Amino acid sequence: MREEHVSDLPLAILVNPNAEDASMIVEEALYQHWQLLVVGRCSVHYVGRAESKLEPGERTLIIKEDGSLLVHRSVGYEPVNWQPPGCVYHSHVENGVLDIQAVRHRPSESVKVSFDRIFLVSGMSLEDPGEFSLYASEEDMHKAILVSPSLLEEGFKPVSYEKKVDPGFLDVYGQDSEGRLVVVEVKRKTAGKQAAIQLAKYVDSIRERADRQVRGILAAPDIAKGVQTLLSNLGLEFRKLNPKKCAETLRQSKATKLATFFNETKTDNH
Amino acid sequence: MREEHVSDLPLAILVNPNAEDASMIVEEALYQHWQLLVVGRCSVHYVGRAESKLEPGERTLIIKEDGSLLVHRSVGYEPVNWQPPGCVYHSHVENGVLDIQAVRHRPSESVKVSFDRIFLVSGMSLEDPGEFSLYASEEDMHKAILVSPSLLEEGFKPVSYEKKVDPGFLDVYGQDSEGRLVVVEVKRKTAGKQAAIQLAKYVDSIRERADRQVRGILAAPDIAKGVQTLLSNLGLEFRKLNPKKCAETLRQSKATKLATFFNETKTDNH
């Protein structure tokens, strides 16, 4: 057994400890609400409304600061066992075996991880203030406009999206508050000359068949130098459309749907 | 920096290494297809059809033997970034920063994790032959009988399940190959006296209203000592029904539905 106490590190770690020594780090981490990491040979027994058993093997256990639990085998991105935040933990050593048990109510569930060999145990006090930002794909940007048309402009009414027309596919197609047709070309990065020319082709194609005025809007987070002039000369417009904002719009719309779903449905968790 | 070489351990580990030293374990683990574990301060940049950025913070990176990737923050059971098996990896050190990049094609995606501080890095060669067994809940056992009625007996045709009758709820209700009504009471553990009496009440309640013969079947993985005699005296039957078999039946049925779905639908991954 080697014990590490590196003063400027936010972690306590033991390599190859026996169960008793490992349990000291485990107890401390659970008590302090540190992230706990245990790598070793374990079996896992889950009991809830269903039940599962995982025979012994060498795996990674992570218990997070919020009490969520993950047991990971050495292949596959999904955990073989997991529990959401809010579990209450008990640990116990008997006959050289370290048991760590997560217990949860509503639904009543329990996951017991029993280590008979421990390679590595570490309690970690991690700081993570970093913001996570998601930027939508172009397709998601189309959907965001459909979900929240005011992202483009007030009064815009989408009619269809990814619509086939002669030179290709229109990203979004609709009409504005004054009843004019609107053709929208979406780019998720700075829009260049090519995007302006593409939009002009689509607008021309629609104008040939339309009985009313047709507007063309290029929607992108930014426009390349000089392309604004080209757009104006072509009688087209630019709208700033942010992939991050689009991602947030879609996430909110999904969250709303989910909230509606949960209010309308009596669900019981598995 | 402390370096650990514990001869009987299936892992190489460094605590508090600099980026150059850490990268030696990283390179070795990726080359050998060991599981790689890195805990430290990192930022993450994902680029695919969408894009995400995670600002610096202290996190846990796991790259598994099959090339799947997980980045875990210290709260929440879901990884903040992940990739399925089959990624190809590159690592690189520059200005004291260790970059580990996962690249995938179809869809074309890349996740870059950049560590500017490493608390712990470990390459692990884990053995995990253990079988995972899932045992269904009682409700899942009902569903398994609906999906595959021969679990109960050949020719059984379920009509309804969790049906309200006078003394409570019938688990499964149907008719047999000879047209007799069948009332099924399901238990996921050894069925005792109470289960037999409950079933008798349901059968009596149905018999009062039925125009034909009514059978009662108690379905459970096992039956308690002496209860078989009680059942026979009550004119009822026992069928062995295994929660593990039920879980497999449901999983197969879901897999079939999924396969059908993928064959019928042109999907494109996000």
Side-chain angles (χ1 to χ4, degrees):
Chain A
M1 193 198 80
R2 320 271 178 112
E3 189 158 351
E4 299 281 346
H5 293 289
V6 184
S7 58
D8 64 338
L9 275 190
L11 53 82
I13 180 169
L14 287 170
V15 176
N16 202 25
N18 62 33
E20 280 78 13
D21 291 330
S23 82
M24 287 170 58
I25 286 191
V26 169
E27 297 275 347
E28 178 79 0
L30 294 175
Y31 180 74
Q32 301 277 5
H33 293 281
W34 290 343
Q35 179 174 297
L36 175 67
L37 179 73
V38 188
V39 183
R41 209 178 88 104
C42 64
S43 57
V44 186
H45 188 184
Y46 159 78
V47 184
R49 298 203 324 168
E51 186 175 356
S52 75
K53 283 179 188 167
L54 180 59
E55 299 298 325
E58 297 170 358
R59 294 158 197 141
T60 305
L61 165 69
I62 298 176
I63 297 173
K64 294 197 178 180
E65 293 171 8
D66 59 3
S68 46
L69 172 146
L70 301 162
V71 179
H72 271 286
R73 307 186 82 154
S74 53
V75 292
Y77 65 89
E78 287 180 290
V80 60
N81 284 99
W82 62 274
Q83 285 287 296
C87 289
V88 174
Y89 287 86
H90 308 283
S91 77
H92 178 73
V93 176
E94 199 168 304
N95 300 325
V97 173
L98 171 64
D99 284 341
I100 301 173
Q101 187 168 19
V103 178
R104 187 160 89 102
H105 303 286
R106 297 173 179 252
S108 170
E109 292 185 304
S110 143
V111 176
K112 189 164 86 172
V113 187
S114 303
F115 286 94
D116 63 5
R117 179 79 204 277
I118 297 162
F119 305 140
L120 172 63
V121 58
S122 180
M124 305 161 171
S125 166
L126 302 176
E127 287 194 12
D128 187 356
E131 196 198 343
F132 180 75
S133 308
L134 188 63
Y135 304 82
S137 67
E138 240 165 59
E139 200 180 312
D140 285 343
M141 290 173 78
H142 306 166
K143 287 180 191 157
I145 296 175
L146 300 192
V147 165
S148 181
S150 65
L151 280 174
L152 196 72
E153 67 179 26
E154 284 307 323
F156 176 67
K157 290 199 188 88
V159 174
S160 74
Y161 81 114
E162 291 165 20
K163 176 188 167 74
K164 180 136 182 55
V165 293
D166 207 356
F169 286 86
L170 297 186
D171 289 345
V172 180
Y173 178 70
Q175 63 177 39
D176 69 11
S177 58
E178 296 175 24
R180 290 172 294 195
L181 293 178
V182 182
V183 174
V184 187
E185 176 67 21
V186 176
K187 293 290 169 201
R188 67 179 297 277
K189 298 210 163 165
T190 300
K193 192 176 156 188
Q194 206 50 49
I197 293 168
Q198 195 177 5
L199 176 59
K201 280 189 193 156
Y202 291 143
V203 169
D204 285 348
S205 166
I206 299 289
R207 273 187 186 139
E208 283 171 17
R209 288 168 280 171
D211 54 356
R212 46 191 163 149
Q213 215 178 323
V214 182
R215 292 169 60 202
I217 299 180
L218 182 55
D222 213 342
I223 188 163
K225 219 177 152 183
V227 179
Q228 179 63 67
T229 312
L230 173 63
L231 266 189
S232 305
N233 292 342
L234 290 165
L236 306 173
E237 304 158 54
F238 173 70
R239 284 288 172 285
K240 217 176 179 65
L241 185 65
N242 187 327
K244 189 173 168 184
K245 183 79 188 288
C246 288
E248 280 159 14
T249 302
L250 280 183
R251 193 163 42 202
Q252 275 163 16
S253 115
K254 279 173 194 163
T256 310
K257 273 186 208 153
L258 212 61
T260 313
F261 175 82
F262 278 115
N263 286 330
E264 283 173 357
T265 321
K266 276 188 192 171
T267 61
D268 53 355
N269 292 322
H270 259 264
Chain B
M1 193 199 82
R2 321 268 179 112
E3 188 158 352
E4 298 281 346
H5 293 290
V6 185
S7 58
D8 63 340
L9 275 190
L11 51 83
I13 180 169
L14 287 171
V15 177
N16 202 24
N18 62 33
E20 281 76 12
D21 291 329
S23 84
M24 288 171 58
I25 286 190
V26 169
E27 296 276 348
E28 177 79 359
L30 293 174
Y31 180 75
Q32 302 277 5
H33 294 281
W34 291 342
Q35 179 175 297
L36 175 67
L37 178 72
V38 187
V39 182
R41 208 178 89 106
C42 64
S43 58
V44 186
H45 189 184
Y46 160 78
V47 185
R49 298 203 322 170
E51 186 175 358
S52 75
K53 282 179 188 167
L54 179 60
E55 298 299 324
E58 297 170 359
R59 294 155 199 143
T60 306
L61 165 69
I62 298 177
I63 296 173
K64 293 197 179 181
E65 293 172 6
D66 60 3
S68 46
L69 171 146
L70 302 162
V71 179
H72 273 286
R73 307 185 82 154
S74 54
V75 292
Y77 64 90
E78 288 180 288
V80 60
N81 285 98
W82 62 274
Q83 284 289 295
C87 290
V88 174
Y89 287 87
H90 309 282
S91 76
H92 178 72
V93 176
E94 200 167 302
N95 299 327
V97 173
L98 171 64
D99 284 341
I100 301 174
Q101 186 167 20
V103 178
R104 186 160 90 101
H105 304 286
R106 295 175 180 249
S108 171
E109 290 183 305
S110 143
V111 176
K112 189 164 85 170
V113 187
S114 302
F115 285 94
D116 63 4
R117 178 80 204 275
I118 297 162
F119 305 139
L120 172 63
V121 57
S122 179
M124 305 162 171
S125 166
L126 302 177
E127 287 194 12
D128 187 356
E131 196 198 342
F132 180 75
S133 306
L134 188 63
Y135 304 83
S137 66
E138 242 166 55
E139 199 180 311
D140 285 342
M141 290 172 78
H142 305 167
K143 286 180 191 157
I145 295 174
L146 300 191
V147 164
S148 180
S150 65
L151 280 174
L152 196 72
E153 67 179 26
E154 284 306 324
F156 175 67
K157 289 199 188 88
V159 174
S160 74
Y161 82 113
E162 294 166 17
K163 177 188 165 72
K164 179 134 184 53
V165 293
D166 208 356
F169 285 87
L170 296 184
D171 288 347
V172 181
Y173 178 71
Q175 63 177 38
D176 69 10
S177 57
E178 295 175 26
R180 290 173 295 195
L181 293 177
V182 182
V183 175
V184 187
E185 175 66 21
V186 176
K187 293 288 170 203
R188 67 180 296 276
K189 298 210 162 164
T190 301
K193 194 176 152 187
Q194 207 49 49
I197 292 168
Q198 196 178 7
L199 176 59
K201 280 189 194 156
Y202 291 144
V203 169
D204 285 348
S205 166
I206 299 288
R207 271 187 188 141
E208 283 171 17
R209 288 168 282 174
D211 54 355
R212 45 189 164 150
Q213 216 177 323
V214 182
R215 291 169 62 201
I217 299 180
L218 182 57
D222 212 341
I223 187 163
K225 218 176 153 185
V227 179
Q228 179 63 67
T229 312
L230 173 64
L231 267 188
S232 305
N233 291 343
L234 291 164
L236 306 173
E237 305 158 52
F238 173 71
R239 284 288 172 285
K240 219 179 177 61
L241 185 65
N242 187 328
K244 189 173 170 184
K245 184 79 188 287
C246 288
E248 280 159 12
T249 301
L250 280 183
R251 193 162 43 203
Q252 276 162 17
S253 113
K254 279 173 193 161
T256 310
K257 274 186 209 152
L258 212 61
T260 312
F261 175 81
F262 278 116
N263 287 329
E264 283 173 357
T265 322
K266 275 189 193 170
T267 62
D268 54 355
N269 291 322
H270 260 265

